[in-house]
Amino acid sequence: MSIGENIRNKRKGLNMSQNDLASAVGVSVPMICQIERGTKVPTMILGAEIAKILQCDLNDLVQI
């Protein structure tokens, strides 16, 4: 799985919308959508913030 797929699965597992995640990490909804589709890769800082909001480790998101 890609980083985007891992983020999407964790987000959906928490019943969180893309809007909820975007608001929590301070980015736009289109940015979250692009990350989940794999057209953008989050920075390490953004990835760590997303992991924190999704209650997991950054390693959980980058596992393939």
Side-chain angles (χ1 to χ4, degrees):
M1 276 200 254
S2 70
I3 294 169
E5 289 171 322
N6 291 337
I7 290 171
R8 181 183 312 116
N9 290 337
K10 294 280 186 187
R11 176 181 60 75
K12 286 185 173 187
L14 293 172
N15 293 316
M16 183 180 288
S17 69
Q18 287 182 334
N19 190 36
D20 294 335
L21 180 58
S23 294
V25 297
V27 298
S28 67
V29 174
M31 174 65 113
I32 295 298
C33 187
Q34 291 170 343
I35 291 170
E36 289 187 356
R37 280 195 324 256
T39 58
K40 293 242 186 224
V41 177
T43 64
M44 291 295 287
I45 294 170
L46 179 56
E49 188 62 28
I50 290 172
K52 180 179 170 186
I53 298 301
L54 296 179
Q55 303 168 8
C56 65
D57 292 325
L58 183 55
N59 288 335
D60 295 333
L61 299 181
V62 298
Q63 287 183 347
I64 297 175

